[in-house]
Amino acid sequence: MTPSLFLFDDGVARGWEPFALTRPAGELLFGTMLLRERAERYWGMACQGHLAHERLQGFQEPGAPPVLAPDQLPREGLRILLSARAAPSGPPPLIPPEGGTLVMEGRTVGWILSHGDDLPPLQDLLDPRPPTGGPAVELSGRLLARPWEIMALNGEQLREDIPAFFPGYAVEELPGCHILGDGLLTLGSDVRVEPGSVFDLTDGPIRLADGVRVRSHTRLAGPAFVGPGSALLGGVLGEVSMGPVCKIRGEVECSVIQGFTNKAHDGFLGHACLGRWVNLGAMTTNSDLKNNYGPVRVGSPDGPVETGLLKVGCLLGDHVKTGIGTLLNTGTVVGAGSNLFGTAMPPLYVPPFSWGSGGELVPYELERFLDVARKAMGRREVALEEEMQGMLRQAWEGTRSLRSGAG
């Protein structure tokens, strides 16, 4: 019987601010694909579901499997349970029919369950233990520990992904464009590049996926991945990954941008991680380096968290919006569904579904947020389905206590 694949969010992944509130960790972009897509490619099978926080039941996006309750996991046949934080690489191991423990970098990252085996208890899903019985199955790859590692390790992952997954499609010449270096530039189908664009392959390869548009006066430096249907509207970009249907302009470096995000105007975005359906107003700019060149601390509900990195810009959750000229300090974390505007910098941590300027934040009314989300998604011909609305409502209610002025 063919095995079935499931991803689970452990306790670490469930604390990945600001993304874990509204999406399973497996639905985050890293390198040239989602973590879930990477697991599917590695094992050679479609993921059947996510085991994640119960508030995510109802999560719905095109191509994404459902979020399951533990009792919905089948007991029949071989089942592969892999940590959503794992980014496996290389050839997959042989699957022992008697089951076993999956190990990466010396840590337990999942299990192979044989026919009839029970799901590991919740405590083991939240904090996978070292193997005590059955064979240990070694996996190669990376195990991400913190959400900012998606940005910090993205360049290395791109340098591995693009030659491995897109060989044989090198483009040595584009009419009217300048190609620097002798690295790999690969194009999907129906890619349109205007004359006057520059592609710098000196430090890594570039992949432009199907339907990408590149406007003249764009300079893109590798390693870089531009997702399907995205548009580069001019500016200087380097070491970036972006999901499908993004519109990006300005100065962008060392950043990971999930799908359906708009940064269509000038402004600096550096060492940042952005969720889906983010819209940055004209001249929105983040700082990614402290004036004293010290390690960056990022915001969290429990106070600042040390990253150990010299450069960390901002982490913006799904459906975050900023107004014209918004400034974000080094290490700012903005919770999902927030709407920020004005000239004053917001605090280092902005609770989910906040609305306002600077530190004067109030709860973003739920129905107003949902109305804006419907309109923004409708402009890309994507519906906000009832299940997803229900999940967002639950996220709003569940974070009420974090917002200033919430009753």
Side-chain angles (χ1 to χ4, degrees), residues 319 366-380 382-386 389 393:
H319 292 281
L366 176 58
E367 295 306 324
R368 290 181 64 186
F369 160 73
L370 289 174
D371 182 58
V372 171
R374 283 190 211 96
K375 291 176 179 175
M377 295 173 70
R379 287 165 59 90
R380 299 293 175 264
V382 177
L384 180 58
E385 302 290 352
E386 288 296 328
Q389 288 188 49
R393 289 179 185 276

mmCIF file of all heavy atoms in Angstrom, residues 319 366-380 382-386 389 393:
data_model
loop_
_atom_site.group_PDB
_atom_site.id
_atom_site.type_symbol
_atom_site.label_atom_id
_atom_site.label_comp_id
_atom_site.label_asym_id
_atom_site.label_seq_id
_atom_site.Cartn_x
_atom_site.Cartn_y
_atom_site.Cartn_z
ATOM 1 N N HIS A 319 -2.421 39.500 5.655
ATOM 2 C CA HIS A 319 -3.421 40.571 5.553
ATOM 3 C C HIS A 319 -3.003 41.858 6.272
ATOM 4 O O HIS A 319 -3.855 42.683 6.619
ATOM 5 C CB HIS A 319 -4.778 40.113 6.106
ATOM 6 C CG HIS A 319 -5.435 39.049 5.276
ATOM 7 N ND1 HIS A 319 -6.111 39.332 4.112
ATOM 8 C CD2 HIS A 319 -5.517 37.711 5.459
ATOM 9 C CE1 HIS A 319 -6.594 38.200 3.605
ATOM 10 N NE2 HIS A 319 -6.237 37.211 4.391
ATOM 11 N N LEU A 366 -13.799 43.639 13.508
ATOM 12 C CA LEU A 366 -13.763 42.373 12.773
ATOM 13 C C LEU A 366 -14.454 42.468 11.422
ATOM 14 O O LEU A 366 -13.897 42.053 10.391
ATOM 15 C CB LEU A 366 -14.391 41.267 13.614
ATOM 16 C CG LEU A 366 -14.514 39.896 12.942
ATOM 17 C CD1 LEU A 366 -13.167 39.369 12.495
ATOM 18 C CD2 LEU A 366 -15.192 38.912 13.889
ATOM 19 N N GLU A 367 -15.662 43.000 11.383
ATOM 20 C CA GLU A 367 -16.401 43.033 10.118
ATOM 21 C C GLU A 367 -15.741 43.969 9.114
ATOM 22 O O GLU A 367 -15.764 43.704 7.904
ATOM 23 C CB GLU A 367 -17.857 43.436 10.360
ATOM 24 C CG GLU A 367 -18.641 42.422 11.190
ATOM 25 C CD GLU A 367 -18.582 41.017 10.605
ATOM 26 O OE1 GLU A 367 -18.580 40.869 9.364
ATOM 27 O OE2 GLU A 367 -18.541 40.050 11.396
ATOM 28 N N ARG A 368 -15.132 45.061 9.599
ATOM 29 C CA ARG A 368 -14.418 45.959 8.690
ATOM 30 C C ARG A 368 -13.192 45.249 8.111
ATOM 31 O O ARG A 368 -12.900 45.376 6.920
ATOM 32 C CB ARG A 368 -13.998 47.233 9.420
ATOM 33 C CG ARG A 368 -15.147 48.148 9.797
ATOM 34 C CD ARG A 368 -14.657 49.396 10.483
ATOM 35 N NE ARG A 368 -13.824 50.224 9.615
ATOM 36 C CZ ARG A 368 -13.180 51.312 10.031
ATOM 37 N NH1 ARG A 368 -13.269 51.700 11.301
ATOM 38 N NH2 ARG A 368 -12.446 52.003 9.186
ATOM 39 N N PHE A 369 -12.473 44.519 8.961
ATOM 40 C CA PHE A 369 -11.331 43.766 8.462
ATOM 41 C C PHE A 369 -11.760 42.761 7.399
ATOM 42 O O PHE A 369 -11.138 42.660 6.333
ATOM 43 C CB PHE A 369 -10.636 43.033 9.612
ATOM 44 C CG PHE A 369 -9.783 41.897 9.139
ATOM 45 C CD1 PHE A 369 -8.575 42.131 8.500
ATOM 46 C CD2 PHE A 369 -10.206 40.581 9.278
ATOM 47 C CE1 PHE A 369 -7.796 41.083 8.024
ATOM 48 C CE2 PHE A 369 -9.448 39.526 8.808
ATOM 49 C CZ PHE A 369 -8.240 39.780 8.184
ATOM 50 N N LEU A 370 -12.801 41.990 7.677
ATOM 51 C CA LEU A 370 -13.239 40.965 6.727
ATOM 52 C C LEU A 370 -13.703 41.589 5.414
ATOM 53 O O LEU A 370 -13.463 41.039 4.338
ATOM 54 C CB LEU A 370 -14.358 40.128 7.344
ATOM 55 C CG LEU A 370 -13.935 39.187 8.470
ATOM 56 C CD1 LEU A 370 -15.153 38.533 9.102
ATOM 57 C CD2 LEU A 370 -12.969 38.123 7.966
ATOM 58 N N ASP A 371 -14.341 42.743 5.498
ATOM 59 C CA ASP A 371 -14.796 43.418 4.276
ATOM 60 C C ASP A 371 -13.602 43.826 3.414
ATOM 61 O O ASP A 371 -13.607 43.630 2.185
ATOM 62 C CB ASP A 371 -15.634 44.642 4.650
ATOM 63 C CG ASP A 371 -16.185 45.354 3.423
ATOM 64 O OD1 ASP A 371 -16.900 44.715 2.622
ATOM 65 O OD2 ASP A 371 -15.896 46.556 3.257
ATOM 66 N N VAL A 372 -12.562 44.378 4.052
ATOM 67 C CA VAL A 372 -11.356 44.761 3.308
ATOM 68 C C VAL A 372 -10.676 43.523 2.726
ATOM 69 O O VAL A 372 -10.218 43.525 1.569
ATOM 70 C CB VAL A 372 -10.388 45.543 4.212
ATOM 71 C CG1 VAL A 372 -9.049 45.756 3.518
ATOM 72 C CG2 VAL A 372 -10.998 46.894 4.597
ATOM 73 N N ALA A 373 -10.608 42.457 3.508
ATOM 74 C CA ALA A 373 -9.971 41.227 3.025
ATOM 75 C C ALA A 373 -10.707 40.687 1.804
ATOM 76 O O ALA A 373 -10.089 40.266 0.821
ATOM 77 C CB ALA A 373 -9.929 40.185 4.141
ATOM 78 N N ARG A 374 -12.048 40.691 1.843
ATOM 79 C CA ARG A 374 -12.837 40.215 0.688
ATOM 80 C C ARG A 374 -12.532 41.043 -0.551
ATOM 81 O O ARG A 374 -12.369 40.511 -1.652
ATOM 82 C CB ARG A 374 -14.329 40.292 1.001
ATOM 83 C CG ARG A 374 -14.847 39.196 1.888
ATOM 84 C CD ARG A 374 -16.363 39.215 1.950
ATOM 85 N NE ARG A 374 -16.811 38.733 3.239
ATOM 86 C CZ ARG A 374 -17.131 39.499 4.269
ATOM 87 N NH1 ARG A 374 -17.080 40.818 4.147
ATOM 88 N NH2 ARG A 374 -17.508 38.967 5.406
ATOM 89 N N LYS A 375 -12.493 42.364 -0.378
ATOM 90 C CA LYS A 375 -12.248 43.241 -1.522
ATOM 91 C C LYS A 375 -10.844 43.034 -2.080
ATOM 92 O O LYS A 375 -10.658 42.965 -3.299
ATOM 93 C CB LYS A 375 -12.444 44.699 -1.105
ATOM 94 C CG LYS A 375 -13.894 45.073 -0.809
ATOM 95 C CD LYS A 375 -13.999 46.500 -0.301
ATOM 96 C CE LYS A 375 -15.452 46.883 -0.022
ATOM 97 N NZ LYS A 375 -15.558 48.240 0.579
ATOM 98 N N ALA A 376 -9.849 42.950 -1.192
ATOM 99 C CA ALA A 376 -8.467 42.782 -1.653
ATOM 100 C C ALA A 376 -8.306 41.460 -2.393
ATOM 101 O O ALA A 376 -7.671 41.397 -3.456
ATOM 102 C CB ALA A 376 -7.510 42.844 -0.461
ATOM 103 N N MET A 377 -8.885 40.405 -1.874
ATOM 104 C CA MET A 377 -8.778 39.100 -2.520
ATOM 105 C C MET A 377 -9.578 39.067 -3.821
ATOM 106 O O MET A 377 -9.147 38.478 -4.810
ATOM 107 C CB MET A 377 -9.248 38.012 -1.561
ATOM 108 C CG MET A 377 -8.352 37.878 -0.332
ATOM 109 S SD MET A 377 -8.973 36.735 0.930
ATOM 110 C CE MET A 377 -8.757 35.159 0.083
ATOM 111 N N GLY A 378 -10.730 39.730 -3.811
ATOM 112 C CA GLY A 378 -11.545 39.777 -5.021
ATOM 113 C C GLY A 378 -10.837 40.449 -6.181
ATOM 114 O O GLY A 378 -11.079 40.110 -7.345
ATOM 115 N N ARG A 379 -9.974 41.415 -5.883
ATOM 116 C CA ARG A 379 -9.215 42.082 -6.943
ATOM 117 C C ARG A 379 -8.268 41.119 -7.638
ATOM 118 O O ARG A 379 -7.810 41.381 -8.736
ATOM 119 C CB ARG A 379 -8.433 43.261 -6.355
ATOM 120 C CG ARG A 379 -9.305 44.449 -5.978
ATOM 121 C CD ARG A 379 -8.547 45.415 -5.067
ATOM 122 N NE ARG A 379 -7.344 45.937 -5.678
ATOM 123 C CZ ARG A 379 -7.291 47.054 -6.414
ATOM 124 N NH1 ARG A 379 -8.395 47.737 -6.648
ATOM 125 N NH2 ARG A 379 -6.145 47.474 -6.916
ATOM 126 N N ARG A 380 -7.951 40.006 -7.004
ATOM 127 C CA ARG A 380 -7.111 38.961 -7.616
ATOM 128 C C ARG A 380 -7.957 37.737 -7.978
ATOM 129 O O ARG A 380 -7.426 36.653 -8.176
ATOM 130 C CB ARG A 380 -5.985 38.552 -6.662
ATOM 131 C CG ARG A 380 -5.036 39.695 -6.309
ATOM 132 C CD ARG A 380 -4.218 40.149 -7.506
ATOM 133 N NE ARG A 380 -3.397 41.309 -7.183
ATOM 134 C CZ ARG A 380 -3.743 42.569 -7.422
ATOM 135 N NH1 ARG A 380 -4.928 42.833 -7.977
ATOM 136 N NH2 ARG A 380 -2.945 43.573 -7.112
ATOM 137 N N VAL A 382 -9.857 35.914 -6.201
ATOM 138 C CA VAL A 382 -9.807 34.859 -5.191
ATOM 139 C C VAL A 382 -10.913 35.146 -4.174
ATOM 140 O O VAL A 382 -11.023 36.267 -3.669
ATOM 141 C CB VAL A 382 -8.439 34.811 -4.482
ATOM 142 C CG1 VAL A 382 -8.433 33.747 -3.387
ATOM 143 C CG2 VAL A 382 -7.327 34.550 -5.490
ATOM 144 N N ALA A 383 -11.710 34.152 -3.888
ATOM 145 C CA ALA A 383 -12.814 34.326 -2.943
ATOM 146 C C ALA A 383 -12.344 34.048 -1.513
ATOM 147 O O ALA A 383 -11.500 33.174 -1.282
ATOM 148 C CB ALA A 383 -13.964 33.388 -3.303
ATOM 149 N N LEU A 384 -12.886 34.800 -0.574
ATOM 150 C CA LEU A 384 -12.672 34.518 0.841
ATOM 151 C C LEU A 384 -13.772 33.545 1.267
ATOM 152 O O LEU A 384 -14.895 33.942 1.566
ATOM 153 C CB LEU A 384 -12.722 35.803 1.668
ATOM 154 C CG LEU A 384 -12.517 35.655 3.183
ATOM 155 C CD1 LEU A 384 -11.182 34.988 3.487
ATOM 156 C CD2 LEU A 384 -12.614 37.014 3.871
ATOM 157 N N GLU A 385 -13.440 32.273 1.261
ATOM 158 C CA GLU A 385 -14.437 31.230 1.492
ATOM 159 C C GLU A 385 -14.940 31.260 2.931
ATOM 160 O O GLU A 385 -14.291 31.764 3.842
ATOM 161 C CB GLU A 385 -13.836 29.857 1.177
ATOM 162 C CG GLU A 385 -13.305 29.708 -0.237
ATOM 163 C CD GLU A 385 -14.408 29.675 -1.293
ATOM 164 O OE1 GLU A 385 -15.595 29.625 -0.897
ATOM 165 O OE2 GLU A 385 -14.071 29.682 -2.491
ATOM 166 N N GLU A 386 -16.133 30.678 3.130
ATOM 167 C CA GLU A 386 -16.760 30.684 4.446
ATOM 168 C C GLU A 386 -15.875 30.032 5.494
ATOM 169 O O GLU A 386 -15.784 30.510 6.630
ATOM 170 C CB GLU A 386 -18.107 29.967 4.380
ATOM 171 C CG GLU A 386 -19.200 30.739 3.653
ATOM 172 C CD GLU A 386 -19.574 32.033 4.369
ATOM 173 O OE1 GLU A 386 -19.500 32.057 5.623
ATOM 174 O OE2 GLU A 386 -19.918 33.009 3.680
ATOM 175 N N GLN A 389 -13.188 32.444 6.407
ATOM 176 C CA GLN A 389 -13.760 33.513 7.224
ATOM 177 C C GLN A 389 -13.932 33.053 8.663
ATOM 178 O O GLN A 389 -13.628 33.793 9.610
ATOM 179 C CB GLN A 389 -15.109 33.951 6.658
ATOM 180 C CG GLN A 389 -15.033 34.733 5.370
ATOM 181 C CD GLN A 389 -16.382 35.305 4.985
ATOM 182 O OE1 GLN A 389 -17.055 35.925 5.803
ATOM 183 N NE2 GLN A 389 -16.785 35.100 3.744
ATOM 184 N N ARG A 393 -12.253 34.692 11.933
ATOM 185 C CA ARG A 393 -13.065 35.144 13.067
ATOM 186 C C ARG A 393 -12.542 34.548 14.377
ATOM 187 O O ARG A 393 -12.434 35.230 15.394
ATOM 188 C CB ARG A 393 -14.527 34.743 12.869
ATOM 189 C CG ARG A 393 -15.261 35.521 11.778
ATOM 190 C CD ARG A 393 -16.696 35.039 11.633
ATOM 191 N NE ARG A 393 -17.359 35.688 10.529
ATOM 192 C CZ ARG A 393 -17.941 36.885 10.601
ATOM 193 N NH1 ARG A 393 -17.948 37.536 11.765
ATOM 194 N NH2 ARG A 393 -18.525 37.420 9.547
#
